[in-house]
Amino acid sequence: MKHILVTGGAGFIGSHLVDSLLKDDFNVVVLDDLSSGKMQNLPNDERLQFIQGDVADHLLIDKVFKEFTFSHIFHLAAIASVHESVTNTYRCHKVNCEASLYLLEKARKCTALKRMVYASSAAVYGDDPALPKSEDSPTRPISPYGIDKYTAEQYMLIYNRLYGVPAVALRYFNVYGPRQNGCSMDGGVVSIFLNKFLSAEKPVATIYGDGQQTRDFVYIKDVVNASRYVMTHETASGNVYNVATGRETSILNVIQGLEEITGHKAQILFSDKRTGDIERSFADISRLRALGFVPRYSLLESLQEYVETSGEIERPEAR
Ligand SMILES: NC(=O)c1ccc[n+]([C@@H]2O[C@H](COP(=O)([O-])OP(=O)(O)OC[C@H]3O[C@@H](n4cnc5c(N)ncnc54)[C@H](O)[C@@H]3O)[C@@H](O)[C@H]2O)c1
């Protein structure tokens, strides 16, 4: 019996992907150390097997690949914190980069493997000012996190060229949606603001800078959809894809959207711009569109759904 491995499957993006795979009757193995992921993000399902452990533990990975035959691998496990990559650079490198290379070594020997999808990041573009960011834009990472993501995705591509590993790298832009951590600085800004709007009648939102800075915010359902496209599309292997909407949205626009949907007016506190924050970012997604992908969610539609489902994190059947 063939399985799909989802590393980091108990996390925000990984758990939504697991839901989608289970819906389509796949057998799924989640490997996660629960450092930021949660068991309650995962459903009780007999087709799901959970292994708690460190993706950088070679002995564990050897064991997992001995026990299961994988048709697909989604590799999302990572210390997804730019801040932590600055304060704990070596450990982050082991998890975010070296573990990916070891997985590729295993994937190389997997004859049944049809696709390996790696979760890279728009952080690889860093502070290069060219816009929109296309996959051919210069890469100028400004954090150890960005360097590790770039290195790991390039290993995906080179293992494709050298050994025919059917690997794809996805550069996620600013993903948001239910189950994202809205409590810490490492959570996405949409989730942080939404949390404030849901917990107070008069939410206080702190903006670093003037709020005109822009990002390409992409809803989790569009991200899962994009991941499923590259999982099956014949020509996807050996390529890198931006996963975004192609729309440029300012931080103030996000707050306005939340005000409109919740009916609460925010008190905005403007604080000093943070060093390292980039001014503008949005993606050219024509490469992904060429596979048939279309982003379905507008900012307002997704915020509306996010607000409506924000209690969903506590699953009644939590394991
Ligand atoms: N959320 C975004 O906007 C975004 C943007 C770009 C890239 N990404 C990438 O997408 C992936 C998923 O991110 P997310 O937002 O869902 O974050 P997340 O923190 O919710 O998910 C990461 C998961 O990996 C697990 N993990 C961390 N270290 C591990 C280890 N050593 N061994 C096993 N599991 C480990 C965590 O417990 C967590 O479940 C990450 O690779 C991240 O770098 C996310």
Side-chain angles (χ1 to χ4, degrees), residues 198-216:
L198 293 184
S199 52
E201 289 264 313
K202 183 97 186 112
V204 180
T206 303
I207 290 182
Y208 299 99
D210 61 5
Q212 302 292 349
Q213 61 271 49
T214 61
R215 297 292 181 267
D216 195 326

Side-chain angles (χ1 to χ4, degrees), residues 126-260:
D127 62 358
D128 186 84
L131 285 169
K133 305 290 180 200
S134 93
E135 293 85 348
D136 298 323
S137 294
T139 45
R140 215 163 70 180
I142 52 170
S143 64
Y145 173 80
I147 291 174
D148 283 334
K149 285 284 162 187
Y150 183 69
T151 310
E153 70 163 44
Q154 294 304 308
Y155 272 124
M156 297 289 148
L157 304 191
I158 207 74
Y159 266 58
N160 174 262
R161 253 172 267 148
L162 293 176
Y163 311 117
V165 175
V168 183
L170 299 181
R171 290 178 182 166
Y172 296 139
F173 276 62
N174 292 73
V175 188
Y176 63 97
R179 301 181 207 156
Q180 186 172 36
N181 184 353
C183 300
S184 87
M185 288 298 288
D186 294 323
V189 67
V190 176
S191 297
I192 291 171
F193 285 150
L194 182 124
N195 223 22
K196 292 190 184 299
F197 272 82
L198 293 184
S199 52
E201 289 264 313
K202 183 97 186 112
V204 180
T206 303
I207 290 182
Y208 299 99
D210 61 5
Q212 302 292 349
Q213 61 271 49
T214 61
R215 297 292 181 267
D216 195 326
F217 295 106
V218 55
Y219 192 50
I220 184 65
K221 286 197 176 167
D222 280 329
V223 169
V224 169
N225 195 17
S227 310
R228 297 294 304 266
Y229 262 96
V230 302
M231 170 184 167
T232 47
H233 208 287
E234 266 180 33
T235 60
S237 284
N239 288 308
V240 56
Y241 294 91
N242 285 339
V243 176
T245 63
R247 291 188 298 262
E248 186 176 16
T249 303
S250 74
I251 303 295
L252 284 173
N253 285 153
V254 172
I255 292 188
Q256 280 155 8
L258 285 167
E259 287 180 334
E260 197 174 320

Side-chain angles (χ1 to χ4, degrees), residues 7-15 31-38 41 51-57 75-81 91 94-96 99 118-123 145 149 170-176 179-181 186-188 218 220:
T7 74
F12 160 48
I13 300 175
S15 64
L31 172 73
D32 199 301
D33 70 353
L34 301 180
S35 52
S36 61
K38 297 185 182 123
N41 285 346
I51 300 165
Q52 183 168 358
D54 182 358
V55 73
D57 175 348
H75 177 35
L76 291 97
I79 300 173
S81 159
R91 167 70 184 154
K94 291 208 51 123
V95 175
N96 292 357
Y118 174 65
S120 184
S121 167
Y145 173 80
K149 285 284 162 187
L170 299 181
R171 290 178 182 166
Y172 296 139
F173 276 62
N174 292 73
V175 188
Y176 63 97
R179 301 181 207 156
Q180 186 172 36
N181 184 353
D186 294 323
V218 55
I220 184 65

